[in-house]
């Protein structure tokens, strides 16, 4: 039990941090975190490391250093095995809109992260501009967009 900031710092400074990637290394956060962590890093065979993490977040905030909009009010559970998020069930807010993040089964026994949310038109334009700049490069993003007509 502790803070998101402490948890991120711990993993970012561990031998695992750099292997997760640059985006993870640029994360900062606030809020409450409960974690159960098991890490095994064989000194002479780092490629055989084993990591198992169960996280529970409560009203957390996550930010990436060069993206102006943080994720806020993030609550739910996440399980990480080695370098893969195997299960996720999170809700929060991004760019003034609510969203859900969950995992779905994918080919080869892997999991796919699926985000489903709502954005106002102006926020959608900002999101598209972030995508154009390559901030989410290397990730497949599926976003459901619903439009409600007013009579």
């Amino acid at each position: 039990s502790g803070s998101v900031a402490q948890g991120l710092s711990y993993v970012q400074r561990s031998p695992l941090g750099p292997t997760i990637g640059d985006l993870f290394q640029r994360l900062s956060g606030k809020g409450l975190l409960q974690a159960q962590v098991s890490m095994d890093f064989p000194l002479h065979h780092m490629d055989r490391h084993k990591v198992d993490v169960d996280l529970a977040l409560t009203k957390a905030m996550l930010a990436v250093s060069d993206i102006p909009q943080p994720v806020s009010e993030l609550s739910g559970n996440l399980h990480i095995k080695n370098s893969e998020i195997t299960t996720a069930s999170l809700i929060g807010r991004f760019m003034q809109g609510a969203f859900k993040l969950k995992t779905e089964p994918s080919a080869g026994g892997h999991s796919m992260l699926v985000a489903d949310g709502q954005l106002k038109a102006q926020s959608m334009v900002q999101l598209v501009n972030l995508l154009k700049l390559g901030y989410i490069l290397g990730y497949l993003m599926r976003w459901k967009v619903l439009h409600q007509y007013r009579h």
Side-chain angles (χ1 to χ4, degrees), residues 14-149:
S14 78
L16 181 64
T19 69
I20 296 173
D22 182 55
L23 182 67
F24 178 77
Q25 292 296 97
R26 294 188 340 251
L27 275 177
S28 62
K30 297 178 185 175
L32 299 176
L33 165 75
Q34 288 189 330
Q36 189 167 357
V37 180
S38 171
M39 292 188 198
D40 180 23
F41 296 102
L43 290 177
H44 298 291
H45 300 285
M46 289 299 278
D47 58 324
R48 296 183 196 164
H49 71 272
K50 294 178 185 171
V51 176
D52 199 307
V53 181
D54 279 307
L55 296 173
L57 299 168
T58 305
K59 294 189 178 183
M61 186 278 300
L62 289 176
V64 177
S65 60
D66 51 355
I67 297 178
Q69 297 83 5
V71 171
S72 62
E73 299 177 35
L74 189 61
S75 295
N77 300 301
L78 189 69
H79 181 257
I80 302 167
K81 186 157 183 105
N82 296 322
S83 61
E84 185 174 337
I85 297 173
T86 57
T87 56
S89 178
L90 297 163
I91 58 170
R93 298 190 62 75
F94 179 63
M95 302 180 89
Q96 293 87 41
F99 78 93
K100 293 184 272 184
L101 181 70
K102 64 180 181 175
T103 50
E104 290 183 356
S106 185
H110 296 283
S111 298
M112 177 172 54
L113 281 176
V114 178
D116 179 7
Q118 299 173 344
L119 294 176
K120 294 181 180 178
Q122 175 138 359
S123 295
M124 183 61 94
V125 170
Q126 291 173 347
L127 178 62
V128 168
N129 286 333
L130 287 175
L131 293 172
K132 277 193 233 175
L133 293 173
Y135 285 113
I136 307 181
L137 191 63
Y139 293 87
L140 175 65
M141 183 177 208
R142 182 174 86 182
W143 195 263
K144 296 178 183 178
V145 179
L146 302 174
H147 179 76
Q148 182 176 10
Y149 290 96

